[in-house]
Amino acid sequence: AQALDMTELLETRTADPDMKKLGLRIHVSQTDEINMMQKWLEARGQEAPGRHAHHMPGAVLMPGMLTNEEMETLAAAKGVEFDRLFLQGMIKHHQGAITMVEELLASYGAAQDDEIYRFASDVFADQSTEIDRMTKMLAGGGF
């Protein structure tokens, strides 16, 4: 959900149309991932955390999550500085997702459920592709 918070900042913090396109793609894909995970948990009688659970006191930062200080710095930035911080932060966020997928797949007996295996594989592929795209944008290579 933190990625959604980040992409929502794009509307008022960047003038770059490529950044806005990237943000829209990330927003759509992250929303789909969140919905899938919530439905999966609910179907198994588990409580799905709310959209802003990561803001709760005592919330544990998952791999790739930006700290409150990093989010405040991002929210205060504008223009090219915002774009740089956004790309660096979103790369960190996506690398965290890849780390969690790798840990899941390396755990004995994990991802035996076909739905979870497909989901984890899709997350790995999508996040890796977006990291490549954002790395090129940081280097000035665009899409």
Side-chain angles (χ1 to χ4, degrees):
Q2 189 181 66
L4 299 180
D5 294 341
M6 294 172 68
T7 60
E8 289 167 1
L9 292 171
L10 284 161
E11 287 197 31
T12 59
R13 305 296 194 287
T14 188
D16 186 329
D18 288 337
M19 288 292 294
K20 289 183 179 190
K21 288 177 198 171
L22 172 70
L24 179 60
R25 277 196 298 275
I26 291 171
H27 195 87
V28 168
S29 66
Q30 294 287 309
T31 298
D32 289 346
E33 289 176 12
I34 290 167
N35 289 338
M36 182 276 171
M37 290 185 284
Q38 287 176 330
K39 288 176 185 170
W40 191 90
L41 286 168
E42 289 166 0
R44 286 153 182 81
Q46 301 293 313
E47 184 177 339
R51 160 93 193 264
H52 296 288
H54 62 282
H55 293 296
M56 302 298 281
V60 176
L61 290 180
M62 294 182 293
M65 294 281 290
L66 275 62
T67 64
N68 288 337
E69 182 179 283
E70 289 171 317
M71 282 298 293
E72 290 169 7
T73 300
L74 178 65
K78 288 194 177 202
V80 176
E81 178 67 6
F82 172 84
D83 295 348
R84 182 183 64 76
L85 291 170
F86 177 88
L87 291 168
Q88 290 171 338
M90 195 59 74
I91 289 169
K92 176 182 174 180
H93 184 275
H94 282 27
Q95 287 173 329
I98 289 171
T99 296
M100 288 187 284
V101 166
E102 290 173 339
E103 289 173 358
L104 172 70
L105 298 178
S107 299
Y108 179 77
Q112 296 295 314
D113 180 298
D114 287 342
E115 185 178 12
I116 292 300
Y117 181 79
R118 281 191 310 275
F119 174 72
S121 298
D122 288 347
V123 166
F124 186 90
D126 292 346
Q127 307 281 320
S128 296
T129 299
E130 287 181 352
I131 287 171
D132 290 343
R133 180 179 291 124
M134 291 185 289
T135 300
K136 288 176 185 170
M137 290 175 77
L138 270 175
F143 291 104

